[in-house]
Amino acid sequence: MGSISKIDFTTFYNTINNELTTTPTTRHSLNPATRKPNPPVPISTASDLNHAVTSARTAFKSWSKLSPSDRRAKVIAFGEAISLHAEEFADLLVQEQGKARFQATIEVNMSGTWCKQIPQLELNDEILQDTADQRVIQRFTPMGVVAGIVPWNFPLLLAVGKIAPAVYTGNCIIIKPSPFTPYCALKLGELAATIFPPGVVQVLSDDGNIGPLMTTHPGINKISFTGSTETGKRIMRNCAETLKSVTLELGGNDPAIVCEDVDIDEVVPQIATLSFLVSAQVCMMIKRLYIHESIYDKFLSAFINFTKTLKTGHGTEPDVFFGPVQNEMQYEKVKDLFTSIQTENLNPVLGGTITDSEGYFVTPTLIDNPPDDSRVVKEEAFGPILPLMKWSNEEEVIVRANDSESGLGASVWSKDVERAQRIGAQLESGSVWINSHFQVAPNIPFGGVKSSGIGREWGIEGLKSYTQSQMMWVKK
Ligand code: NAD
């Protein structure tokens, strides 16, 4: 661990075969709070990718043969190294992603925890049949080389959330961060180089060119992708060429159903927070809020009052809750969605307009009871604009909640937990939370249904997704 302290967080390199490399041309992203350039990063070439794949294939031969406990020790050491650099990672995360410092700290801490906890899971052989003359064993063997393609909202956690299960199960992984947020991931690569053998964990930054090359590369066995539904479809099409395994964690438009028996003062701060973390740029934030009509007015007024207390500003300021949205493209998308307030004659009861400023700041906006077919209800906003709607009939609100292409998360809020579970069981989503939202854990599988994804990450099911199962038939 001696070399770990030498890592500096101001210059950025690819990590290929445990060597820090750069490229003839570089690029940079912008700090979303100031639109000022962040430091240069490599634009990896096809030859960099080939080099990384060859190194990973070589490393796989010995890494896959290590015992799970040897690999466990390395992944845990990686988690400890992340925790040792928690302050630097949190600062860098604010600088590149824009999120409030306390939310960056949460992401960094979760990343350390994921590395320490995922390898506590045990993926054991399963005896499928055991008779007097024959035993059938199901084994879980690593796939080979995995490419992890990561979005810009949780650049650190979503990279770590792929690295830890992939390498623990015996694979080698190449991470490709989003061009908008490559910085923390590149530092993860450097840290990994101080812990893992060459070729086990590699990180390549790009300008958008490397992702498609990964999905068609014959030396890569699996793509683990987190990002938008549209890109997910493109990736799946490309992966068909070489029959790669894919896990797709895609967009969401999560509903939350609030029943009439909730304690409004207690749940409003929770529901507002779970609608607006990372300025609502989270796949599983609450994006459609259905409130029972008998408490609607009181709930809305409490919601407005609470949201007013959440400060917008640079993530570096200590009491900020809303940082900017992450990039120009997202800012323009959110601004376009704001135009529907006028074109669809919606009623904003807080915010409603965006004033141009030095960063990509968006005024938190609440829309009072918009029609179900309005854009703000139908589209994944990925910015702090939230529709609040009335409901009166349980069956009807379930139909409305399910009336979406997305199926990532959903929640039901009620003191009557049995009733809430009954409603929750009818919601079409990969996760359903009763009296919470957006809870995730390293030991619990996570993923979407419908257009929100294919496969699960984390938990034992997530570990299995990085393996192929082999049936061994043993005649006694
Ligand atoms: P995106 O799809 O634009 O990009 C994600 C990554 O894919 C980036 O690294 C990008 O460079 C790469 N990429 C783009 N085109 C590619 C291609 N053709 N082949 C291979 N790689 C390609 O997504 P984004 O804008 O970065 O992220 C926002 C979206 O991600 C939202 O829809 C959000 O809901 C979703 N998301 C989902 C989850 C989840 O776990 N389900 C988590 C976070 C974000």
Side-chain angles (χ1 to χ4, degrees):
M1 305 270 283
S3 55
I4 287 174
S5 56
K6 290 194 189 130
I7 286 181
D8 99 277
F9 274 68
T10 55
T11 50
F12 297 86
Y13 306 95
N14 284 335
T15 304
I16 303 178
N17 208 28
N18 280 3
E19 282 164 19
L20 304 189
T21 67
T22 190
T23 49
T25 49
T26 56
R27 57 173 292 281
H28 61 80
S29 71
L30 301 180
N31 179 332
T34 59
R35 306 191 207 203
K36 295 209 171 108
N38 280 327
V41 293
I43 305 177
S44 306
T45 60
S47 139
D48 292 318
L49 177 63
N50 289 337
H51 185 183
V53 172
T54 307
S55 307
R57 298 216 75 82
T58 304
F60 180 70
K61 290 179 195 152
S62 42
W63 179 252
S64 59
K65 302 255 170 2
L66 287 184
S67 69
S69 68
D70 285 345
R71 292 196 298 255
R72 173 179 302 128
K74 292 286 188 191
V75 179
I76 291 172
F78 185 47
E80 281 162 358
I82 293 170
S83 301
L84 266 181
H85 289 83
E87 292 301 311
E88 292 103 314
F89 271 120
D91 287 341
L92 189 57
L93 197 47
V94 173
Q95 185 184 335
E96 70 170 322
Q97 207 286 333
K99 62 183 68 181
R101 184 59 159 70
F102 82 94
Q103 297 179 35
T105 301
I106 294 172
E107 180 173 349
V108 175
N109 291 343
M110 286 172 81
S111 304
T113 303
W114 257 239
C115 285
K116 292 169 208 163
Q117 305 263 309
I118 280 185
Q120 306 301 340
L121 299 168
E122 299 219 16
L123 187 52
N124 297 318
D125 292 355
E126 288 170 21
I127 311 288
L128 301 183
Q129 187 178 302
D130 200 6
T131 56
D133 63 341
Q134 195 168 49
R135 170 181 285 189
V136 184
I137 308 160
Q138 185 175 29
R139 306 174 62 241
F140 298 94
T141 59
M143 289 179 161
V145 178
V146 176
I149 302 180
V150 179
W152 45 257
N153 58 351
F154 285 86
L156 190 66
L157 179 63
L158 293 176
V160 164
K162 298 183 191 307
I163 295 170
V167 302
Y168 174 50
T169 48
N171 302 281
C172 298
I173 189 165
I174 305 168
I175 291 288
K176 192 210 81 64
S178 164
F180 292 118
T181 53
Y183 298 93
C184 285
L186 290 171
K187 284 299 143 191
L188 279 180
E190 268 188 62
L191 264 195
T194 67
I195 291 161
F196 295 99
V200 174
V201 177
Q202 304 178 90
V203 182
L204 301 178
S205 69
D206 74 336
D207 63 356
N209 56 320
I210 290 295
L213 294 179
M214 286 174 143
T215 55
T216 50
H217 201 295
I220 292 176
N221 306 88
K222 174 183 167 116
I223 301 284
S224 172
F225 170 74
T226 306
S228 64
T229 299
E230 280 321 304
T231 306
K233 289 178 186 172
R234 244 174 263 135
I235 285 180
M236 203 164 167
R237 273 196 290 273
N238 276 352
C239 285
E241 205 55 44
T242 45
L243 270 191
K244 286 189 210 327
S245 167
V246 289
T247 300
L248 302 176
E249 300 289 355
L250 308 176
N253 195 2
D254 290 10
I257 298 174
V258 182
C259 298
E260 61 276 29
D261 63 351
V262 294
D263 179 333
I264 293 177
D265 292 338
E266 197 183 308
V267 301
V268 158
Q270 296 174 47
I271 294 178
T273 304
L274 293 166
S275 306
F276 290 139
L277 284 168
V278 195
S279 292
Q281 302 165 107
V282 183
C283 50
M284 328 179 258
M285 280 295 91
I286 295 170
K287 294 178 183 142
R288 294 177 288 145
L289 184 49
Y290 298 94
I291 300 141
H292 193 274
E293 63 177 2
S294 63
I295 58 163
Y296 183 84
D297 291 343
K298 197 164 171 231
F299 187 99
L300 179 65
S301 144
F303 207 91
I304 295 168
N305 288 338
F306 180 78
T307 307
K308 277 184 188 162
T309 67
L310 303 175
K311 189 178 154 193
T312 301
H314 289 219
T316 47
E317 292 165 31
D319 50 350
V320 156
F321 182 90
F322 287 104
V325 298
Q326 202 279 321
N327 58 66
E328 177 90 28
M329 176 200 71
Q330 191 57 35
Y331 187 55
E332 291 304 322
K333 272 194 192 170
V334 176
K335 283 208 294 196
D336 181 58
L337 188 57
F338 267 64
T339 63
S340 71
I341 295 174
Q342 273 79 47
T343 56
E344 297 180 355
N345 206 13
L346 306 181
N347 181 22
V349 282
L350 185 70
T353 50
I354 299 176
T355 317
D356 270 329
S357 59
E358 55 164 350
Y360 305 124
F361 292 100
V362 173
T363 320
T365 293
L366 303 176
I367 307 290
D368 174 20
N369 208 28
D372 284 351
D373 62 356
S374 55
R375 283 184 60 198
V376 74
V377 180
K378 286 281 177 207
E379 295 177 21
E380 181 189 29
F382 238 52
I385 171 166
L386 181 72
L388 295 89
M389 291 157 289
K390 293 181 189 174
W391 68 274
S392 53
N393 172 293
E394 200 176 290
E395 278 169 28
E396 168 237 32
V397 76
I398 291 168
V399 171
R400 292 166 72 196
N402 286 336
D403 182 21
S404 169
E405 302 246 307
S406 302
L408 194 54
S411 60
V412 185
W413 298 74
S414 171
K415 281 188 185 143
D416 181 347
V417 172
E418 242 171 68
R419 175 190 182 201
Q421 269 185 264
R422 192 183 66 235
I423 297 173
Q426 297 172 75
L427 298 176
E428 297 163 356
S429 60
S431 300
V432 179
W433 297 275
I434 305 302
N435 293 318
S436 70
H437 204 103
F438 186 45
Q439 281 186 295
V440 287
N443 60 329
I444 310 289
F446 151 68
V449 300
K450 302 202 274 189
S451 290
S452 290
I454 292 181
R456 297 287 176 267
E457 295 214 281
W458 309 341
I460 291 287
E461 204 178 337
L463 290 185
K464 284 184 181 171
S465 78
Y466 286 98
T467 65
Q468 48 220 345
S469 77
Q470 178 189 61
M471 274 27 86
M472 186 179 276
W473 298 68
V474 185
K475 271 249 155 76
K476 290 182 184 167

